[in-house]
Amino acid sequence: MNPKNYRFETLQVHAGLRPDTETGARGVTICPTAAYRFRNCDHAARLFELSEAGNIYTRLQNPTTTAYEERIAALYGAVGALAVSSGMSAILLTVLSLARSGDNIVASPYLYGGTYNQFRISLRNLGIDCRIAASERAEDFEALADERTKALYVESMGNPTCAVPDLEALAALARRIDVPFVVDNTFGAAGYLCNPFEWGADIVVDSATKWINGHGTSMGGVIVDGGTYDWGNGKFPQIDGPSEGYHGLNLREAFGAAAFIAKCRVDGLRDLGCCPSPFDSYLMMIGLETLSLRVRHEVESTRKVAEYCLHHPKVKSVSFVGFESHPSYGNARKYYRFGSSAVFTIELRGTLESTVRFVESLQLAANMTMIGDSITVVTHPASTTHKQLGAADLAAAGVTPTLLRISLGLENADDIIADFEQAFAHVSDK
Ligand SMILES: *Cc1c(COP(=O)(O)O)cnc(C)c1O
């Protein structure tokens, strides 16, 4: 099918699907195989030198995963996608495919805690300098960029404050200084709420563990290639130059617009090994089928519960990107369908202890570090996702001791409100 002819809701159930040629089975088949039998040795040689496309070994590709990757690429209107074992491995593989020791990337200050640690500790230890901009304004990114900069990196909605950067302005900067613009679009729900490619992103990463899977049943990540970046500017010899791993093959010449995603697969996945299992790819395919329906419900519930919190005496403040009071209200309206995601934060009146008491009194909402699950999740960042950050970084990320992040699930919002009500009753006013 040509994805250009169909809308999101249609693509989320049809893209990547082909009836099984032998049985006619309509569903995607789980292929639990590690390897694939070659027709002959010549066939094997052609696959290995990349002159013919085909399955070699499940670390590199698997039919179930290929169907899932096709669906993701179709939803994003992209030239290709690569599925990996987690969101963190999608980010790692992306940065390692762009930057080498001595290079740098410039990133937003509003990053998922895991990404922050990967950038500031693990990648720095590999010699890749991940510079954190003072704000999400383009001039603050530009101030840190130099001739060794290999990417600008932001989240389309930041964690946990739901800051939405001006994607167009940052994309314009990336074009001007000629570096790829990479966007973590986990909150954008595979393009349904936000599609960064429409605003100038070159590469998208997405933690599929969240809204793509949608049921909290498996881990995964995807890298998506918009096919828009021109790799022929001399800055990326690993893409436009003789490939060490493939007898001097030039990936840009061999794969054209899809050179980056090919690089991530043939070098990244081959060497780092963070491939998904076919069963997990199957779960992602099933999750995607209801993505728009789930997210619409969650976004509606989010507004309802956020409004309830706004009027509750034990809540000090509510930060919901769909309210005009949120600093990113304007950007969310521009870049996010419904001007909103399914996550918001509240700050309780009181102390760390009373906040913990509220969380521990919840009966329906789950105390977990998770977003995009089918059940409602309440997370206490100060004791979990942001526990490793120092005081200054905590303040910069907007994390206080009484801050809670709430990710609405598929329950009836009134039942969640009732659960909050009884939990608030356990918290003293002090
Ligand atoms: C969860 C998350 C990640 C990491 O994804 P995993 O699948 O948990 O490895 C990265 N970025 C954002 C914005 C996330 O929410």
Side-chain angles (χ1 to χ4, degrees):
M1 75 188 296
N2 181 354
K4 292 199 167 57
N5 296 338
Y6 301 97
R7 295 174 181 79
F8 194 97
E9 292 81 353
T10 307
L11 293 172
Q12 74 187 355
V13 288
H14 282 281
L17 215 53
R18 284 183 203 90
D20 183 72
T21 46
E22 266 183 42
T23 64
R26 147 271 185 261
V28 67
T29 312
I30 305 173
C31 292
T33 187
Y36 307 85
R37 295 174 69 154
F38 305 120
R39 290 195 294 275
N40 50 50
C41 290
D42 190 43
H43 175 222
R46 285 197 307 279
L47 293 178
F48 269 81
E49 67 180 23
L50 307 178
S51 66
E52 183 178 327
N55 296 321
I56 297 173
Y57 192 59
T58 283
R59 172 149 41 76
L60 286 164
Q61 69 278 91
N62 173 279
T64 315
T65 304
T66 300
Y68 161 43
E69 291 167 341
E70 285 177 12
R71 181 165 293 180
I72 290 286
L75 291 174
Y76 272 109
V79 297
L82 178 70
V84 294
S85 55
S86 69
M88 291 314 301
S89 47
I91 297 165
L92 181 69
L93 229 146
T94 298
V95 176
L96 291 181
S97 299
L98 295 171
R100 312 172 156 191
S101 175
D103 290 337
N104 66 76
I105 66 168
V106 183
S108 157
Y110 306 115
L111 293 176
Y112 172 70
T115 306
Y116 187 87
N117 289 329
Q118 183 187 99
F119 283 7
R120 299 295 281 176
I121 301 169
S122 295
L123 284 173
R124 193 171 266 189
N125 286 340
L126 292 176
I128 297 171
D129 185 13
C130 298
R131 303 173 176 177
I132 306 294
S135 82
E136 286 193 316
R137 287 200 313 270
E139 52 268 37
D140 286 328
F141 276 71
E142 190 165 15
L144 297 183
D146 59 27
E147 71 285 351
R148 295 295 300 267
T149 299
K150 295 301 164 73
L152 303 187
Y153 186 99
V154 301
E155 297 179 4
S156 68
M157 192 171 278
N159 209 330
T161 53
C162 293
V164 179
D166 186 348
L167 295 174
E168 263 187 328
L170 289 164
L173 170 65
R175 264 195 308 281
R176 185 153 57 74
I177 62 175
D178 202 6
V179 298
F181 183 34
V182 182
V183 179
D184 177 333
N185 192 46
T186 301
F187 280 64
Y192 180 66
L193 290 180
C194 171
N195 186 345
F197 292 122
E198 291 170 7
W199 307 103
D202 299 298
I203 297 160
V204 159
V205 291
D206 196 325
S207 167
T209 312
K210 314 295 171 46
W211 283 276
I212 290 175
N213 174 289
H215 302 79
T217 55
S218 65
M219 301 288 304
V222 290
I223 306 170
V224 195
D225 184 354
T228 42
Y229 192 77
D230 180 3
W231 303 101
N233 58 7
K235 290 185 184 180
F236 299 93
Q238 69 272 40
I239 295 172
D240 185 28
S243 171
E244 285 175 55
Y246 293 93
H247 298 297
L249 180 78
N250 181 309
L251 295 174
R252 177 166 171 259
E253 286 165 9
F255 294 97
F260 176 74
I261 207 70
K263 161 79 183 165
C264 290
R265 186 187 305 277
V266 302
D267 283 336
L269 258 194
R270 185 196 60 181
D271 299 350
L272 299 177
C274 45
C275 59
S277 92
F279 183 67
D280 287 343
S281 297
Y282 172 77
L283 292 176
M284 299 301 180
M285 281 290 271
I286 300 302
L288 281 171
E289 298 204 339
T290 54
L291 182 85
S292 68
L293 303 168
R294 288 185 280 109
V295 171
R296 279 184 93 106
H297 175 89
E298 290 164 3
V299 166
E300 264 175 44
S301 298
T302 303
R303 181 170 289 279
K304 250 183 147 170
V305 178
E307 273 166 6
Y308 158 79
C309 289
L310 195 60
H311 298 110
H312 200 286
K314 289 180 182 170
V315 177
K316 184 163 109 193
S317 64
V318 176
S319 176
F320 171 48
V321 77
F323 290 160
E324 261 179 79
S325 55
H326 193 287
S328 290
Y329 175 75
N331 281 344
R333 294 222 349 171
K334 176 169 176 184
Y335 298 118
Y336 268 70
R337 194 192 294 241
F338 316 120
S340 173
S341 76
V343 175
F344 73 107
T345 64
I346 57 177
E347 259 190 289
L348 300 192
R349 291 190 201 286
T351 60
L352 180 85
E353 290 68 34
S354 62
T355 307
V356 166
R357 194 159 163 76
F358 171 79
V359 171
E360 293 181 348
S361 302
L362 291 165
Q363 290 171 357
L364 211 47
N367 172 17
M368 313 193 289
T369 55
M370 181 60 179
I371 49 177
D373 203 316
S374 51
I375 65 173
T376 294
V377 178
V378 173
T379 308
H380 184 219
S383 61
T384 55
T385 51
H386 289 68
K387 177 116 182 90
Q388 310 312 323
L389 272 62
D393 291 335
L394 278 179
V399 174
T400 65
T402 68
L403 182 82
L404 294 174
R405 184 185 67 190
I406 298 154
S407 174
L408 267 293
L410 300 177
E411 305 93 337
N412 187 308
D414 291 334
D415 288 334
I416 296 300
I417 289 172
D419 190 29
F420 277 34
E421 191 66 28
Q422 65 79 26
F424 278 129
H426 287 87
V427 181
S428 76
D429 286 329
K430 291 268 156 46

